């Protein structure tokens, strides 16, 4: 059985002092979590988060990475820097990166490859917009994104990677996909992985749901057969609500 993994994407929130408050509060609440726990603070808080999380079940991830190794790329962070800071995971292809920074499946795939090449694990995001869902092309969009972002990844990498299905219309909006809508797309993604790799690889693949996951809807979503965890935005900024989501898993 796949272990559930709950990841928190802090986005552009929390100073260094806030980071220490939040991680310490989480440590007090999460002594023996039943699910895997990942926190993804902003770059400025990564080293501190790693330090505070040492010896606890909490793992640390970054929210993005450059495809370049070093050099004149102002504002960018390389995979080597993330690895040296002690990160184990990196979110790639979040819809906010796709929307505001025009990231494409091809670039996201290169980032995922970069993350794997350094021995870290990517959390690879896909998801349709509201217009795409309303036009009835969700399956087409998800199929295209999955094929694009996974191109060239080996079966072993696929079995290690985390896929996050995040319908764009449900992110930060308070609108959650119904369990049926979410499960339907998760099953589609697992079927695609079975076709692209093998049924065995698909069985091992971890597919998280993201989009306004809260303590009161987490249990039902996480009970679906193809939903293996959650990528949480807003609700991960508070230790009580993030811990409640982890408990729900
Ligand atoms: C996210 O940003 O990945 C996300 C799912 O945000 P929220 O939980 O706030 O909708």
């Amino acid at each position: 059985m796949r272990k559930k993994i709950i990841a928190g994407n802090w986005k552009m929130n929390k100073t260094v002092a806030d980071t220490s408050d939040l991680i310490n509060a989480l440590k007090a609440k999460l002594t023996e979590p039943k699910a895997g726990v990942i926190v993804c603070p902003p770059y400025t808080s990564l080293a501190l988060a790693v330090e505070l999380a040492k010896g606890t079940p909490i793992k640390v991830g970054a929210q993005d990475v450059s495809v370049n190794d070093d050099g004149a790329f102002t504002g960018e962070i390389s995979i080597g820097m993330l690895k040296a800071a002690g990160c184990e995971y990196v979110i790639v292809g979040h819809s906010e990166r796709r929307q505001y920074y025009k990231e494409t499946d091809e670039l996201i795939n290169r980032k995922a490859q970069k993350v794997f090449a350094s021995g870290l694990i990517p959390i690879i995001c896909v998801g349709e917009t509201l217009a795409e869902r309303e036009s009835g092309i969700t399956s087409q969009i998800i199929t295209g994104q999955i094929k694009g972002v996974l191109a060239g990844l080996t079966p072993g990498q696929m079995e290690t990677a985390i896929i996050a299905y995040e319908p764009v219309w449900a992110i930060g909006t308070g609108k959650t996909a119904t369990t049926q809508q979410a499960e339907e797309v998760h099953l589609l993604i697992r079927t695609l992985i079975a076709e692209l790799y093998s049924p065995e690889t698909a069985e091992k693949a971890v597919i998280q749901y993201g989009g306004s996951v809260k303590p009161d809807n987490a249990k039902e979503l996480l009970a679906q057969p193809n939903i293996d965890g959650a990528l949480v935005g807003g609700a991960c900024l508070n230790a009580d609500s993030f811990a409640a989501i982890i408990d729900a898993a």
Side-chain angles (χ1 to χ4, degrees):
M1 203 178 128
R2 294 178 296 271
K3 187 181 175 186
K4 301 232 187 296
I5 301 179
I6 311 296
N9 174 10
W10 296 12
K11 309 193 185 184
M12 198 171 69
N13 293 292
K14 306 287 182 192
T15 61
V16 166
D18 298 335
T19 298
S20 139
D21 292 346
L22 182 49
I23 304 264
N24 284 328
L26 280 174
K27 273 161 67 169
K29 287 178 186 299
L30 303 174
T31 44
E32 279 182 30
K34 300 267 176 339
V37 180
I38 305 168
V39 295
C40 302
Y43 294 133
T44 45
S45 291
L46 284 176
L48 174 64
V50 167
E51 190 56 37
L52 292 172
K54 261 189 198 137
T56 80
I58 303 170
K59 310 274 188 206
V60 179
Q63 298 172 21
D64 187 31
V65 66
S66 172
V67 282
N68 297 296
D69 289 327
D70 49 40
F73 300 99
T74 303
E76 291 283 273
I77 298 282
S78 74
I79 194 68
M81 293 169 184
L82 297 180
K83 190 171 180 174
C87 282
E88 293 179 68
Y89 294 85
V90 184
I91 300 173
V92 295
H94 190 277
S95 70
E96 287 150 16
R97 304 280 330 162
R98 289 175 183 263
Q99 186 182 350
Y100 303 135
Y101 304 99
K102 308 293 169 230
E103 294 202 2
T104 61
D105 292 328
E106 192 264 339
L107 178 72
I108 295 159
N109 174 251
R110 284 170 61 207
K111 289 187 174 189
Q113 307 257 17
K114 195 98 213 159
V115 173
F116 272 128
S118 283
L120 279 69
I121 299 174
I123 301 175
I124 309 171
C125 305
V126 296
E128 82 286 2
T129 62
L130 184 60
E132 288 161 348
R133 177 159 283 267
E134 287 180 345
S135 310
I137 55 168
T138 298
S139 309
Q140 216 173 302
I141 294 297
I142 299 296
T143 302
Q145 289 181 350
I146 285 288
K147 287 186 175 164
V149 296
L150 298 184
L153 296 191
T154 65
Q157 288 173 332
M158 183 60 248
E159 289 169 17
T160 320
I162 298 175
I163 305 288
Y165 166 58
E166 300 205 299
V168 179
W169 48 273
I171 296 179
T173 58
K175 286 185 196 155
T176 320
T178 63
T179 47
Q180 196 194 336
Q181 285 172 323
E183 172 60 17
E184 212 171 85
V185 178
H186 280 243
L187 178 60
L188 166 70
I189 294 172
R190 203 173 301 285
T191 308
L192 288 167
I193 296 170
E195 284 166 17
L196 294 168
Y197 294 90
S198 69
E200 292 73 30
T201 295
E203 219 16 69
K204 291 183 187 152
V206 173
I207 310 172
Q208 295 178 322
Y209 170 78
S212 299
V213 176
K214 305 273 183 281
D216 60 1
N217 59 23
K219 200 168 187 146
E220 199 183 332
L221 284 161
L222 293 166
Q224 300 308 302
N226 287 292
I227 300 186
D228 308 316
L231 180 53
V232 183
C236 78
L237 298 175
N238 172 284
D240 288 333
S241 54
F242 193 49
I245 293 170
I246 294 158
D247 277 349

